[in-house]
Amino acid sequence: MKIASNKFIENASAGKLILLGYLLILLAGFILLSLPFSVSTTVTSLDHFFIATSALSTTGLVSVGISENYSFFGELVILLLIQLGGIGYMSLGSFIILGSKRRISKTGVKLLEFDFSLPKGFSILHFVKNVIWFSLLIELAGAIFLYFIFLNQDVSNPIWNAIFHSISAFCTAGFSLFNTSFEAFKDHFWLNLVISALSFSGAIGFIVFSDVYERLAGRKKQITYTSRIILRFTIIMIAFGTVILFVSDSNLLQYPAWERLMVAAFQSMTALTTVGFNTFPIQDLLGASIFLIIMLMLMGASPSGTGGGIKSTTMTALYAEVISTLRGKKKVTYLGRIIPSHRIKMASSNFFFYTFILTCGIFLLLLTESHPVFDTIFEATSALGTVGLSTGITGSLSPLGKVIIIILMFLGRIGPLSIGVALMTVTDEDAIESEQDIAI
């Protein structure tokens, strides 16, 4: 039992180091964006810090326009922050160390294990290599496809736009160099497909990619339980959101059925994967549709990926617990497998921390802002979920409101439960067990 307590203390220490690392990178990004040659117009220090936080947390909320306020160097800094936030600075640093034939320290391994929270059966160092190679290959492929799409559409600077939007999509950041995101491309099938594929790839997480690769290479007989849960949940929820938006929002009826289906599918995808792009103005959707998007943003992407939200595995574990309770079962089961009690505890704790922080954020924003309540709830949910969708109020937030959103975005990137583990000193012997069956 003492081993369990030591494991928890190690996780708390790792969490503090991860937190400190992201704070230092955030500060560096803020300083670089504040340099005179990073901007093309006058931007306040608070807006610089807002943009830096949004980029590092891969959120996509912007208080000022990117293309009209930042120079190429400023855009490059933003893109680097997105990349570090998406794949994790520990992953990139470890990959460089491994590439130089040096060994990663025990502390480095602990930090990686904490940051990714891998299920049983994964080698963390082998996993890191897969993360970097998968990311680079997918982003490269996405950039190539987007280049030809933008070239065909006479978009200026097609190479830079392709690279920027490919990385932004895969890292589920939602940053765009277009003032209206992808609204001008709502009927462009190939752009919808490429952006959706990139976002889906980032959102399902590196666990699934590594797992599928190992299976195709013949090193595994089947993909892990975690991967099955992630794929099942993500596909079902995107399909569910698409159908509901397609049949229920009368504001979309003006468009042909095929175009309406693309709009519904993209908005459902962008909310659940937390990528934050949009092909239709969010504020023009019906209230019921906006509420549905809020629910999808809350659920979010998957662990060990680039997306935010409560996470698919947490939602699945809680769903399984409810169903098992209603059926009078003593054990919590899903897909024919028993979910260990400590994983249920982690899912419940994650859900509580997340909803508690979100509630506090909404309350504080309602005190400081004069925007409609529904828009404020949407903004806070988007910030904590690192989504980046907005009903259009981000730029008009008060300075205090921007600070609240900054805090929510940063907490969303680190994870509310991880923040709790890092800051609290609890040694309950039952809190963390040595075995992990699924990642929460």
Side-chain angles (χ1 to χ4, degrees):
M1 291 297 180
K2 196 170 184 179
I3 294 176
S5 297
N6 291 337
K7 178 73 172 178
F8 186 89
I9 294 171
E10 288 174 358
N11 280 341
S13 299
K16 290 176 182 177
L17 289 175
I18 290 288
L19 179 61
L20 178 61
Y22 277 111
L23 285 172
L24 291 175
I25 294 173
L26 177 59
L27 179 60
F30 164 69
I31 292 173
L32 289 173
L33 288 179
S34 300
L35 296 174
F37 49 82
S38 291
V39 295
S40 54
T41 61
T42 301
V43 179
T44 66
S45 295
L46 180 57
D47 286 324
H48 283 315
F49 199 74
F50 190 102
I51 296 299
T53 307
S54 185
L56 184 62
S57 63
T58 67
T59 301
L61 289 174
V62 292
S63 54
V64 294
I66 302 302
S67 58
E68 61 265 49
N69 287 283
Y70 288 96
S71 65
F72 173 77
F73 180 79
E75 292 175 1
L76 182 60
V77 171
I78 291 170
L79 192 62
L80 290 175
L81 288 172
I82 290 172
Q83 187 74 89
L84 285 172
I87 65 176
Y89 73 93
M90 279 302 302
S91 299
L92 186 59
S94 299
F95 182 76
I96 294 173
I97 292 173
L98 290 171
S100 62
K101 305 300 181 181
R102 290 182 292 165
R103 297 183 63 182
I104 299 176
S105 66
K106 291 183 179 180
T107 301
V109 173
K110 290 294 182 185
L111 291 175
L112 289 167
E113 289 175 344
F114 180 86
D115 202 20
F116 283 110
S117 183
L118 295 179
K120 184 179 179 182
F122 279 85
S123 166
I124 187 64
L125 299 183
H126 185 63
F127 181 78
V128 166
K129 292 180 180 179
N130 287 344
V131 165
I132 301 301
W133 284 118
F134 288 152
S135 299
L136 293 178
L137 288 174
I138 292 171
E139 289 170 353
L140 176 61
I144 292 172
F145 283 117
L146 288 176
Y147 167 74
F148 288 108
I149 291 172
F150 291 149
L151 186 66
N152 186 57
Q153 294 294 309
D154 295 323
V155 173
S156 61
N157 300 316
I159 296 178
W160 175 237
N161 271 290
I163 294 171
F164 190 97
H165 289 96
S166 178
I167 294 175
S168 183
F170 179 73
C171 292
T172 64
F175 271 84
S176 178
L177 299 179
F178 307 132
N179 291 331
T180 57
S181 190
F182 289 116
E183 290 177 19
F185 298 90
K186 67 177 180 295
D187 59 346
H188 196 293
F189 172 77
W190 292 111
L191 183 129
N192 276 258
L193 179 63
V194 172
I195 295 296
S196 296
L198 287 167
S199 305
F200 181 84
S201 299
I204 59 175
F206 302 114
I207 289 176
V208 176
F209 271 103
S210 183
D211 210 9
V212 171
Y213 174 77
E214 295 290 320
R215 174 67 183 87
L216 293 176
R219 300 191 185 103
K220 288 183 177 180
K221 293 183 179 180
Q222 61 181 8
I223 61 175
T224 63
Y225 183 48
T226 296
S227 294
R228 289 165 58 199
I229 288 176
I230 290 171
L231 290 172
R232 182 186 180 94
F233 178 90
T234 306
I235 293 172
I236 289 176
M237 293 313 303
I238 290 178
F240 172 78
T242 299
V243 172
I244 298 299
L245 287 175
F246 180 79
V247 301
S248 66
D249 198 306
S250 58
N251 289 342
L252 298 178
L253 293 178
Q254 58 181 301
Y255 302 103
W258 177 245
E259 187 174 333
R260 189 164 79 248
L261 180 62
M262 280 198 296
V263 169
F266 195 92
Q267 264 50 238
S268 177
M269 176 281 301
T270 198
L272 189 72
T273 64
T274 73
V275 65
F277 289 126
N278 60 283
T279 56
F280 189 85
I282 300 300
Q283 62 271 22
D284 290 348
L285 294 171
L286 292 181
S289 298
I290 295 177
F291 182 75
L292 173 63
I293 290 175
I294 289 176
M295 293 297 101
L296 292 173
M297 290 193 300
L298 273 172
M299 289 183 269
S302 300
S304 300
T306 62
I310 293 176
K311 304 296 186 183
S312 58
T313 46
T314 292
M315 297 303 301
T316 300
L318 295 177
Y319 166 79
E321 184 181 25
V322 170
I323 296 300
S324 296
T325 300
L326 292 176
R327 292 177 177 176
K329 293 183 177 181
K330 294 182 179 180
K331 299 289 186 180
V332 178
T333 61
Y334 186 74
L335 296 180
R337 295 276 297 275
I338 295 175
I339 301 178
S341 60
H342 71 277
R343 304 309 295 178
I344 298 297
K345 289 180 182 178
M346 287 190 69
S348 300
S349 299
N350 186 39
F351 183 83
F352 172 80
F353 268 95
Y354 195 96
T355 53
F356 175 74
I357 291 175
L358 179 60
T359 301
C360 291
I362 292 173
F363 178 76
L364 292 174
L365 284 173
L366 290 174
L367 286 178
T368 63
E369 308 304 307
S370 58
H371 299 290
V373 175
F374 208 33
D375 291 347
T376 304
I377 293 173
F378 191 97
E379 194 81 4
T381 306
S382 181
L384 186 61
T386 68
V387 183
L389 292 174
S390 177
T391 55
I393 69 172
T394 311
S396 58
L397 291 172
S398 68
L400 190 53
K402 289 179 182 178
V403 171
I404 295 169
I405 292 296
I406 286 172
I407 294 172
L408 288 175
M409 291 190 295
F410 187 78
L411 291 178
R413 174 57 185 90
I414 304 299
L417 182 59
S418 298
I419 294 290
V421 171
L423 300 181
M424 295 183 181
T425 307
V426 180
T427 57
D428 179 5
E429 293 179 346
D430 294 326
I432 301 277
E433 296 178 21
S434 58
E435 295 295 322
Q436 294 183 15
D437 293 287
I438 62 171
I440 297 296

